[in-house]
Amino acid sequence: MGYSYVDYNGYQQIGVSYVQATLQDSRRCSAEKAYLRKAQERGNLKIIKKALVTKVIINPITLEAEGVKYERDGMYYTAKARKEVILSAGAFHSPQLLMLSGIGPRYHLSELDIPVLKDLPVGQKMYDHLSFPELVITLNESIVFKASSFGINEFKKYFSNQPSLISTLGGVEALAYLNLNLTNRNPTYPDVELIFMGGGLHSDFGLITRKTFRITDRMYNRIWKPIENENACQILPMLVHPKSYGYIKLKSKDPHVQPKLYGNYLTDAYNEDVRTFIASIRAIQEIIQTPAFQRYNAQLLDTPVPGCELFRFDSDPYWECALRHLAVTLHHQVATCKMGPKHDPEAIVDSSLRVYGIKRLRVADASVIPLP
Ligand SMILES: Cc1cc2nc3c(=O)[nH]c(=O)nc-3n(C[C@H](O)[C@H](O)[C@H](O)COP(=O)(O)OP(=O)(O)OC[C@H]3O[C@@H](n4cnc5c(N)ncnc54)[C@H](O)[C@@H]3O)c2cc1C
C-alpha cells in the first residue's frame, strides 16, 4: 500500500512498524524499575510507600508551597520541602491534589467550600485516546495467538527472562500511523494509529484483555464468544488527535474520594472524531484486501454490535452507531494540568512545569501534556 517502515518514536511517524516497547530481559520495564529502584539506596532520596498525599501545604500570604500533608496507616504527617514540591500523581490525581489545595477554577472550589488560593482552570480539559475494539478479522490458518499457544514452555521462557509469547505487549505486534487527511490540522502528523493484534479479545477467552476495555458480558458474548476457538486477529484504530475532550472535577473535599471524570468522547461540534474513525475503518478494510492478508482469506467479522442491528452492516451510520456503543479508552488521559505560555488561558504550568502564580510548586507527569 506504499507505507514506509518508520521509527515512529523518531523524526517521522507516518508509516508502519513493529511495536516498540521499553523492555528489560524480555519484560516490560517501568520508570520505577528502571530509575527509582536503582536510586533507592541514595542518601538524598527517601521513599515512603503506601502513603497518600492529601494536600499541598501553601502559605496563603506568600503563595509558596511549603510541603505536603500525607496519610499512612491512618496517621497524618507533614513533609516540609527545603526547595520545592513536585507533584507527579498522574492526570487524575495531580489536578485533584491541586484543587484540594486551593488551586483550581474559582466557581468549582467555591462549590465545595475550598478556599481559593489561585484561580486556574485545573482539570477543565482532559484529552484521551479513544479506540474501537470491534474490528475482528477471521483467517483460515492458525497464525494467531490462541489460549492454547500459551503452554507451559512459554511460561518457563518468561520466568527465565527469555523472549516468549507472554512478553508481547498485550498481543500487539505492529502499529501503523496514517494521515487520513480528513480533519487533520497538520499534514505531517498522523491522525490515526492502527494497532495490529496477533489475536483478539477472544484469545484469552475474555478473561483478561477485554476487562482492560470494560467490555460488557452482553457485548462479549455476542461478538467474541462465538469465535473463541477460531483463527482471528484484530486491528484497532485509535484517534491520535481527537477533537472531543472531557474534564475532571472533584466529587468531594475528601482526598480519599476519587475525582469525577467526564470523558465527553465523540462530542465535537462537527463530528470530526466519528468521521476520522470511519475513515480509519475504511483504511483497515483496504489493508485486509492486500495479498498479505488475503493469503489467509482475511474477512471482517460481520456480527453486528448489539444495539446497532437496525443499521445496514458496514454503512457509515452503522459504524457511527457501533462506535458510540463500543469505543473504549486506551487510558492515555492528558492535559488536566496543561503546560502552556502565560498568555494561554488554559495553561496551569509553564515550560519549566512551574504552577502559575504559586512559588516552589511544579507538576511533572502526563497531566502537563497539552495535547494528545
Ligand atoms: C491499562 C493501561 C494500559 C496502558 N498502556 C500503555 C501503553 O501500552 N503505552 C503507553 O505509552 N502508555 C500506556 N498507558 C498509559 C500510561 O500508563 C500513562 O500515560 C502513564 O503511566 C502516565 O504516567 P504518570 O506519571 O503521569 O502517572 P502514573 O503512572 O499514573 O503515576 C502516578 C503515580 O502517583 C501515585 N499517586 C496518585 N495520587 C497519589 C496521592 N494522592 N498520594 C501519593 N501517590 C499518589 C499513583 O499511585 C501512581 O503511582 C496505559 C495505561 C493504562 C491504565
Side-chain angles (χ1 to χ4, degrees):
M1 296 185 71
Y3 296 123
S4 324
Y5 192 88
V6 290
D7 167 10
Y8 58 82
N9 277 312
Y11 177 68
Q12 192 207 326
Q13 283 76 49
I14 294 173
V16 295
S17 169
Y18 283 114
V19 71
Q20 298 183 7
T22 312
L23 298 175
Q24 187 181 36
D25 299 328
S26 305
R27 296 189 191 193
R28 284 189 92 165
C29 185
S30 65
E32 180 273 328
K33 195 170 168 190
Y35 299 102
L36 203 52
R37 220 175 279 183
K38 287 181 184 151
Q40 64 185 344
E41 301 305 330
R42 283 190 195 168
N44 61 354
L45 175 68
K46 184 170 178 184
I47 301 171
I48 303 172
K49 294 182 186 171
K50 300 191 191 308
L52 181 82
V53 174
T54 56
K55 194 176 181 178
V56 183
I57 304 163
I58 298 168
N59 183 316
I61 313 289
T62 61
L63 295 183
E64 274 188 344
E66 296 178 339
V68 294
K69 280 197 172 153
Y70 67 94
E71 185 203 340
R72 190 165 185 261
D73 293 335
M75 303 283 283
Y76 284 83
Y77 303 87
T78 296
K80 286 279 188 177
R82 272 200 297 268
K83 289 187 177 168
E84 290 188 331
V85 174
I86 303 175
L87 284 185
S88 297
F92 303 148
H93 297 106
S94 283
Q96 180 194 25
L97 279 170
L98 287 182
M99 289 192 272
L100 290 173
S101 312
I103 303 163
R106 181 178 298 281
Y107 83 92
H108 179 44
L109 300 192
S110 306
E111 284 169 350
L112 292 166
D113 288 329
I114 297 174
V116 182
L117 295 179
K118 181 70 190 167
D119 182 10
L120 284 176
V122 173
Q124 296 297 285
K125 233 177 195 181
M126 180 177 72
Y127 281 106
D128 193 6
H129 282 154
L130 200 63
S131 182
F132 181 56
E134 197 263 339
L135 299 171
V136 179
I137 297 144
T138 57
L139 306 163
N140 66 1
E141 256 189 63
S142 177
I143 54 161
V144 292
F145 293 134
K146 286 182 168 180
S148 55
S149 320
F150 297 95
I152 187 84
N153 278 341
E154 294 304 320
F155 282 94
K156 273 190 193 160
K157 280 194 253 173
Y158 180 75
F159 286 112
S160 53
N161 294 338
Q162 292 170 36
S164 77
L165 286 181
I166 299 164
S167 312
T168 62
L169 302 178
V172 176
E173 293 198 333
L175 298 178
Y177 287 93
L178 310 185
N179 180 0
L180 300 172
N181 229 348
L182 200 74
T183 60
N184 213 357
R185 310 282 190 254
N186 184 333
T188 61
Y189 292 166
D191 47 12
V192 160
E193 177 185 276
L194 304 184
I195 302 167
F196 292 76
M197 291 179 77
L201 304 193
H202 58 288
S203 304
D204 58 16
F205 297 115
L207 293 175
I208 303 168
T209 320
R210 75 132 159 165
K211 293 198 173 147
T212 67
F213 294 144
R214 305 182 74 181
I215 303 283
T216 60
D217 287 349
R218 177 172 173 248
M219 290 289 176
Y220 182 81
N221 290 340
R222 180 76 70 84
I223 297 165
W224 288 277
K225 186 110 191 132
I227 56 155
E228 276 181 348
N229 293 308
E230 304 288 320
N231 296 314
C233 62
Q234 291 199 215
I235 305 177
L236 281 70
M238 182 194 89
L239 297 186
V240 178
H241 295 295
K243 306 297 179 289
S244 312
Y245 55 86
Y247 58 97
I248 183 168
K249 282 177 90 172
L250 292 179
K251 196 170 177 183
S252 158
K253 272 162 83 165
D254 181 346
H256 301 92
V257 177
Q258 295 293 339
K260 277 174 142 177
L261 313 177
Y262 298 83
N264 284 351
Y265 300 106
L266 307 179
T267 55
D268 61 290
Y270 301 104
N271 216 18
E272 292 182 45
D273 288 347
V274 166
R275 287 192 286 129
T276 307
F277 256 131
I278 294 175
S280 72
I281 293 169
R282 302 296 175 213
I284 289 170
Q285 289 174 325
E286 270 183 53
I287 288 171
I288 64 177
Q289 289 311 317
T290 55
F293 271 88
Q294 283 311 307
R295 198 170 135 203
Y296 301 102
N297 193 26
Q299 306 289 334
L300 191 65
L301 187 74
D302 58 3
T303 310
V305 168
C308 302
E309 295 91 341
L310 291 180
F311 294 96
R312 183 169 53 81
F313 182 80
D314 199 28
S315 61
D316 285 2
Y318 167 79
W319 288 121
E320 175 158 2
C321 175
L323 285 160
R324 292 192 182 282
H325 277 70
L326 205 53
V328 295
T329 171
L330 293 187
H331 311 284
H332 296 171
Q333 291 86 1
V334 294
T336 49
C337 300
K338 179 184 172 184
M339 174 171 51
K342 199 164 188 164
H343 57 78
D344 178 350
E346 296 175 347
I348 309 300
V349 299
D350 67 15
S351 58
S352 299
L353 310 185
R354 290 176 297 223
V355 176
Y356 282 114
I358 303 288
K359 296 179 201 103
R360 307 205 307 158
L361 179 60
R362 297 185 205 234
V363 180
D365 57 33
S367 69
V368 306
I369 299 171
L371 287 166

Short mmCIF file of all heavy atoms in Angstrom, two decimals, residues 40 45 59 80-82 87 103 119 129 135 173 176 216 246 255 257 265 304 321 332 335-336 367 371:
data_model
loop_
_atom_site.label_atom_id
_atom_site.label_comp_id
_atom_site.label_asym_id
_atom_site.label_seq_id
_atom_site.Cartn_x
_atom_site.Cartn_y
_atom_site.Cartn_z
N GLN A 40 17.19 3.91 45.06
CA GLN A 40 16.59 3.93 46.40
C GLN A 40 17.61 3.91 47.54
O GLN A 40 17.28 4.27 48.66
CB GLN A 40 15.58 2.80 46.55
CG GLN A 40 16.15 1.42 46.46
CD GLN A 40 15.05 0.36 46.49
OE1 GLN A 40 13.93 0.64 46.86
NE2 GLN A 40 15.39 -0.85 46.10
N LEU A 45 17.61 10.42 48.95
CA LEU A 45 16.27 10.02 48.49
C LEU A 45 15.59 9.20 49.58
O LEU A 45 16.15 8.23 50.09
CB LEU A 45 16.38 9.16 47.22
CG LEU A 45 15.07 8.57 46.71
CD1 LEU A 45 14.14 9.65 46.19
CD2 LEU A 45 15.33 7.54 45.62
N ASN A 59 1.50 28.50 51.70
CA ASN A 59 1.36 29.69 52.55
C ASN A 59 0.39 30.66 51.87
O ASN A 59 0.65 31.11 50.76
CB ASN A 59 2.75 30.33 52.73
CG ASN A 59 2.71 31.52 53.65
OD1 ASN A 59 1.80 32.35 53.57
ND2 ASN A 59 3.68 31.59 54.54
N LYS A 80 8.03 18.63 54.96
CA LYS A 80 8.38 20.01 54.59
C LYS A 80 9.39 20.00 53.45
O LYS A 80 10.30 19.18 53.44
CB LYS A 80 9.00 20.72 55.80
CG LYS A 80 7.99 21.10 56.85
CD LYS A 80 7.30 22.37 56.44
CE LYS A 80 6.41 22.91 57.54
NZ LYS A 80 5.80 24.17 57.16
N ALA A 81 9.24 20.92 52.51
CA ALA A 81 10.16 20.98 51.37
C ALA A 81 11.23 22.03 51.63
O ALA A 81 10.91 23.17 51.97
CB ALA A 81 9.39 21.34 50.10
N ARG A 82 12.50 21.60 51.48
CA ARG A 82 13.56 22.60 51.62
C ARG A 82 13.61 23.48 50.37
O ARG A 82 13.87 24.66 50.43
CB ARG A 82 14.91 21.91 51.82
CG ARG A 82 15.21 21.63 53.28
CD ARG A 82 16.70 21.40 53.50
NE ARG A 82 17.16 20.22 52.77
CZ ARG A 82 17.20 19.01 53.29
NH1 ARG A 82 16.83 18.82 54.54
NH2 ARG A 82 17.62 17.99 52.59
N LEU A 87 4.72 17.64 42.15
CA LEU A 87 3.63 16.66 42.12
C LEU A 87 3.79 15.77 40.90
O LEU A 87 4.00 16.27 39.79
CB LEU A 87 2.28 17.37 41.97
CG LEU A 87 1.67 18.07 43.17
CD1 LEU A 87 0.27 18.59 42.78
CD2 LEU A 87 1.54 17.12 44.34
N ILE A 103 -5.99 25.36 44.42
CA ILE A 103 -5.58 25.84 43.10
C ILE A 103 -6.52 25.20 42.08
O ILE A 103 -6.48 23.98 41.86
CB ILE A 103 -4.12 25.43 42.79
CG1 ILE A 103 -3.20 25.97 43.88
CG2 ILE A 103 -3.68 25.92 41.41
CD1 ILE A 103 -1.84 25.30 43.91
N ASP A 119 -6.87 31.02 41.17
CA ASP A 119 -7.93 30.65 40.23
C ASP A 119 -7.30 30.23 38.90
O ASP A 119 -6.84 31.08 38.13
CB ASP A 119 -8.86 31.87 40.05
CG ASP A 119 -10.03 31.57 39.14
OD1 ASP A 119 -10.25 30.39 38.80
OD2 ASP A 119 -10.74 32.53 38.76
N HIS A 129 -7.10 9.12 24.36
CA HIS A 129 -7.06 8.37 23.10
C HIS A 129 -8.16 7.32 23.11
O HIS A 129 -8.11 6.37 23.88
CB HIS A 129 -5.70 7.68 22.95
CG HIS A 129 -4.61 8.60 22.52
ND1 HIS A 129 -3.29 8.39 22.81
CD2 HIS A 129 -4.65 9.75 21.80
CE1 HIS A 129 -2.57 9.37 22.29
NE2 HIS A 129 -3.38 10.21 21.68
N LEU A 135 -13.19 -4.51 15.39
CA LEU A 135 -12.87 -4.96 14.03
C LEU A 135 -12.11 -6.28 14.10
O LEU A 135 -10.89 -6.32 14.27
CB LEU A 135 -12.06 -3.89 13.30
CG LEU A 135 -12.80 -2.55 13.17
CD1 LEU A 135 -11.88 -1.48 12.65
CD2 LEU A 135 -14.03 -2.69 12.28
N GLU A 173 1.38 -6.51 17.92
CA GLU A 173 2.59 -6.85 17.17
C GLU A 173 3.12 -5.67 16.36
O GLU A 173 4.32 -5.52 16.20
CB GLU A 173 2.29 -8.00 16.22
CG GLU A 173 1.99 -9.28 16.96
CD GLU A 173 2.10 -10.49 16.08
OE1 GLU A 173 1.91 -10.37 14.86
OE2 GLU A 173 2.39 -11.57 16.62
N ALA A 176 0.54 1.10 12.78
CA ALA A 176 0.63 1.95 11.58
C ALA A 176 0.13 3.33 11.98
O ALA A 176 -0.84 3.45 12.75
CB ALA A 176 -0.23 1.39 10.46
N THR A 216 -18.67 -5.29 28.17
CA THR A 216 -19.69 -5.97 28.98
C THR A 216 -19.87 -7.42 28.51
O THR A 216 -19.52 -7.77 27.38
CB THR A 216 -21.06 -5.27 28.84
OG1 THR A 216 -21.43 -5.31 27.46
CG2 THR A 216 -21.01 -3.84 29.33
N GLY A 246 -12.86 16.00 27.44
CA GLY A 246 -13.69 16.00 28.64
C GLY A 246 -13.08 16.88 29.71
O GLY A 246 -12.31 17.80 29.40
N PRO A 255 -9.87 13.69 50.30
CA PRO A 255 -8.86 13.19 49.35
C PRO A 255 -8.98 11.70 49.05
O PRO A 255 -8.40 11.22 48.07
CB PRO A 255 -7.53 13.51 50.03
CG PRO A 255 -7.84 13.76 51.45
CD PRO A 255 -9.27 14.20 51.54
N VAL A 257 -11.73 10.27 48.25
CA VAL A 257 -12.80 10.08 47.26
C VAL A 257 -12.23 10.42 45.88
O VAL A 257 -11.65 11.49 45.67
CB VAL A 257 -14.01 10.99 47.58
CG1 VAL A 257 -15.09 10.86 46.51
CG2 VAL A 257 -14.55 10.65 48.96
N TYR A 265 -16.50 11.81 25.07
CA TYR A 265 -15.94 11.28 23.82
C TYR A 265 -16.93 11.47 22.66
O TYR A 265 -18.15 11.40 22.85
CB TYR A 265 -15.65 9.78 23.98
CG TYR A 265 -14.65 9.48 25.08
CD1 TYR A 265 -15.06 8.92 26.28
CD2 TYR A 265 -13.31 9.77 24.91
CE1 TYR A 265 -14.15 8.65 27.29
CE2 TYR A 265 -12.39 9.50 25.91
CZ TYR A 265 -12.82 8.94 27.10
OH TYR A 265 -11.91 8.68 28.09
N PRO A 304 -23.21 -7.94 13.93
CA PRO A 304 -23.50 -6.55 14.30
C PRO A 304 -23.35 -6.30 15.79
O PRO A 304 -23.61 -7.18 16.61
CB PRO A 304 -24.96 -6.35 13.86
CG PRO A 304 -25.49 -7.69 13.56
CD PRO A 304 -24.38 -8.68 13.47
N CYS A 321 -22.98 4.16 14.86
CA CYS A 321 -23.71 3.53 15.98
C CYS A 321 -22.76 2.62 16.76
O CYS A 321 -22.70 2.67 17.99
CB CYS A 321 -24.89 2.74 15.42
SG CYS A 321 -25.75 1.80 16.69
N HIS A 332 -5.02 7.04 28.05
CA HIS A 332 -3.91 7.98 27.78
C HIS A 332 -4.35 9.41 28.12
O HIS A 332 -4.10 10.34 27.36
CB HIS A 332 -3.50 7.93 26.30
CG HIS A 332 -2.94 6.61 25.87
ND1 HIS A 332 -2.68 6.31 24.56
CD2 HIS A 332 -2.59 5.52 26.58
CE1 HIS A 332 -2.20 5.08 24.48
NE2 HIS A 332 -2.13 4.57 25.69
N ALA A 335 -3.46 16.58 29.76
CA ALA A 335 -3.85 18.00 29.65
C ALA A 335 -4.65 18.53 30.83
O ALA A 335 -5.12 19.66 30.79
CB ALA A 335 -4.61 18.28 28.35
N THR A 336 -4.79 17.76 31.90
CA THR A 336 -5.58 18.25 33.04
C THR A 336 -4.82 19.30 33.86
O THR A 336 -5.42 20.01 34.65
CB THR A 336 -5.99 17.06 33.94
OG1 THR A 336 -4.82 16.27 34.19
CG2 THR A 336 -7.04 16.20 33.27
N SER A 367 -0.16 14.77 33.07
CA SER A 367 -1.21 15.80 33.11
C SER A 367 -0.76 17.10 32.43
O SER A 367 -1.59 17.91 32.04
CB SER A 367 -1.63 16.10 34.55
OG SER A 367 -0.59 16.74 35.25
N LEU A 371 -1.58 18.44 24.54
CA LEU A 371 -2.47 17.88 23.53
C LEU A 371 -2.20 16.39 23.43
O LEU A 371 -1.08 15.96 23.68
CB LEU A 371 -2.19 18.51 22.16
CG LEU A 371 -2.66 19.94 21.98
CD1 LEU A 371 -2.03 20.55 20.74
CD2 LEU A 371 -4.17 20.00 21.88
#
